[in-house]
Amino acid sequence: MTATAQTDAAAPDEMPGTAVREKGRLRSALGWIAIAALVIAFALFVASITMSTPASRGALDPESADESGALALAELLRDEGVDVTIARTRVDATAALGADSTLVMADPFALSDEAVDDLIAPADNAVILSSASRLLRILGLGENAIATSDAALDAQCDLPELANVGTVHPDRFFTPAAGVTGCYTDSDGAAALLVDDSDDSRVALIEGSTLFSNEHLAENGNAALGLALLGQGEHIVWYVPSFEDSDIEAQSTDTLATLTPPWVTPAILLLLLAGIVAGIARGQRFGPLVAETLPVTVRASETMHGRARLTAKAGDAAHAAHALRDGSLRRLAARLGLTARSTPNEIADAASDRLRIPRGSLHRLLAGPLPASDPELIDTARRLAELEAAVETAVHVERNTP
């Protein structure tokens, strides 16, 4: 037999071992390719989150079609021949103001007191669609007041532009300062609209979130009131506040993240992800969980009292109010026949329909800002208890009514 024949005869015996080794290398290569693909996908995901910016609009934004936006009012003003200029910076708003321009804005939360004064000063007519206590103090218009009536109100003032507006159902009331005209007043003299004509210019303030938003504009005389307040001139400069236009500079201490190059944190995250994926791919499965009984049984009441003492010692009124509100929401949802996943706004709407009271006040109580002091915490707890008692009484009466 020749050497060539011997080689050809030996080749078939060596092929199975070679094929097995090739398959092993292929599986290993595919595993590392999969790990690399996961790392790349995670990097692209992080980059997309970092580079993207939110496009949502805030409340009473004249370009927002959401329920809380004010696009409908802006379009009504344009239909009446009013030129509406939307400014998202103080510089643009000041530049757009003219002799017959009306400055319109919601609460300029991102501006300092000096910046608010500088923004309103050039305007002959300014309409503030917010009821922030800070604006009442800056403009000297009055103080917050508690409403004594939930009925719809007429203007009840001498402003001629409000003569044919009709009735509206305001949600916030104020006590006018000396020389300030109050409109839509209740029996105690608290007014929903404040108008100051003491200087050469006019400043009007009203809570517009429940009157001029897209959701409520068609109710009562809300649209007519919006046109009367904002449409007196031929030009409106609607300033939309944002954190990007803030003049308040926050100073923060240097940290390790600020002292290192920007690529260090993504690189560390990628290395951690790669290590986790490699460990899962090459590691063994975990065994079953071992159940152990605790040596001590702690009663729920002891845990509750301990957490309450810690909260009281820390003086954290917001945390305590959050716990009270969470419990009230769960109990109200059960009494109103709602699911445990119902949102605070849904529970507030259901309670408002059951008790026949305005929704805005319940929205602030069940989903609004948390109190920051002990007196506010006590008031919030009292209001929550009264709301639960009222709902319980209403549900009990309905169940026993034949």
Side-chain angles (χ1 to χ4, degrees):
M1 182 180 293
T2 61
T4 304
Q6 293 177 355
T7 303
D8 294 339
D13 296 335
E14 297 176 355
M15 288 181 61
T18 304
V20 171
R21 288 192 296 271
E22 290 295 334
K23 289 181 179 179
R25 285 194 291 266
L26 179 60
R27 284 196 297 269
S28 178
L30 290 176
W32 285 108
I33 291 174
I35 293 173
L38 289 175
V39 172
I40 294 174
F42 179 76
L44 293 176
F45 175 72
V46 172
S48 64
I49 294 178
T50 305
M51 298 177 62
S52 62
T53 56
S56 60
R57 301 292 187 183
L60 294 179
D61 190 309
E63 291 182 329
S64 173
D66 296 338
E67 292 182 352
S68 61
L71 178 61
L73 179 57
E75 292 300 324
L76 280 179
L77 291 168
R78 292 189 176 99
D79 292 342
E80 294 295 325
V82 180
D83 182 19
V84 180
T85 301
I86 300 173
R88 299 190 178 273
T89 64
R90 290 171 292 140
V91 176
D92 294 342
T94 304
L97 287 173
D100 192 30
S101 298
T102 299
L103 176 65
V104 180
M105 64 179 176
D107 178 19
F109 51 87
L111 301 182
S112 63
D113 295 354
E114 294 77 10
V116 173
D117 286 331
D118 295 340
L119 180 61
I120 297 178
D124 293 334
N125 186 18
V127 180
I128 313 299
L129 306 179
S130 175
S131 59
S133 301
R134 184 175 73 110
L135 291 177
L136 293 173
R137 173 179 55 81
I138 295 174
L139 302 176
L141 297 177
E143 299 178 351
N144 288 306
I146 300 177
T148 59
S149 174
D150 294 332
L153 301 174
D154 293 320
Q156 301 177 6
C157 60
D158 298 332
L159 298 181
E161 59 267 27
L162 303 181
N164 299 321
V165 168
T167 62
V168 297
H169 201 160
D171 195 41
R172 292 293 301 273
F173 287 83
F174 319 96
T175 301
V180 176
T181 302
C183 301
Y184 299 99
T185 57
D186 61 5
S187 58
D188 291 343
L193 171 64
L194 302 179
V195 180
D196 183 11
D197 289 320
S198 57
D199 298 330
D200 295 336
S201 59
R202 165 178 287 189
V203 178
L205 183 142
I206 189 172
E207 175 56 50
S209 59
T210 57
L211 295 175
F212 306 137
S213 62
N214 298 328
E215 181 182 7
H216 302 287
L217 186 64
E219 300 175 359
N220 301 318
N222 296 353
L225 177 60
L227 293 175
L229 290 178
L230 277 65
Q232 294 302 309
E234 299 179 355
H235 181 221
I236 287 178
V237 178
W238 199 313
Y239 171 67
V240 182
S242 63
F243 286 108
E244 289 77 8
D245 191 43
S246 176
D247 65 325
I248 303 174
E249 297 182 358
Q251 297 180 355
S252 59
T253 58
D254 292 333
T255 61
L256 182 61
T258 59
L259 297 176
T260 54
W263 56 266
V264 172
T265 300
I268 293 175
L269 293 177
L270 291 178
L271 290 176
L272 289 176
L273 179 63
I276 293 172
V277 174
I280 294 175
R282 302 184 65 86
Q284 297 180 354
R285 295 180 57 187
F286 294 103
L289 296 177
V290 179
E292 278 187 43
T293 58
L294 291 175
V296 179
T297 301
V298 181
R299 293 195 299 270
S301 60
E302 294 182 4
T303 304
M304 178 185 67
H305 290 141
R307 293 181 61 184
R309 284 191 294 268
L310 289 175
T311 303
K313 185 177 180 180
D316 191 355
H319 186 272
H322 177 74
L324 293 174
R325 179 187 288 177
D326 184 69
S328 296
L329 287 172
R330 285 188 279 106
R331 290 188 292 272
L332 287 172
R335 292 168 182 168
L336 293 171
L338 302 177
T339 63
R341 297 183 178 180
S342 299
T343 63
N345 289 332
E346 292 174 349
I347 297 174
D349 291 341
S352 174
D353 294 338
R354 188 64 59 89
L355 300 177
R356 302 182 183 276
I357 60 177
R359 299 183 177 182
S361 58
L362 293 186
H363 280 199
R364 287 193 307 276
L365 177 61
L366 298 179
L370 294 171
S373 61
D374 290 341
E376 294 178 354
L377 173 62
I378 295 173
D379 181 66
T380 300
R382 178 185 58 78
R383 294 175 62 191
L384 289 173
E386 292 175 354
L387 176 60
E388 290 189 46
V391 171
E392 179 65 26
T393 301
V395 173
H396 181 72
V397 170
E398 290 180 359
R399 288 177 179 173
N400 292 289
T401 300

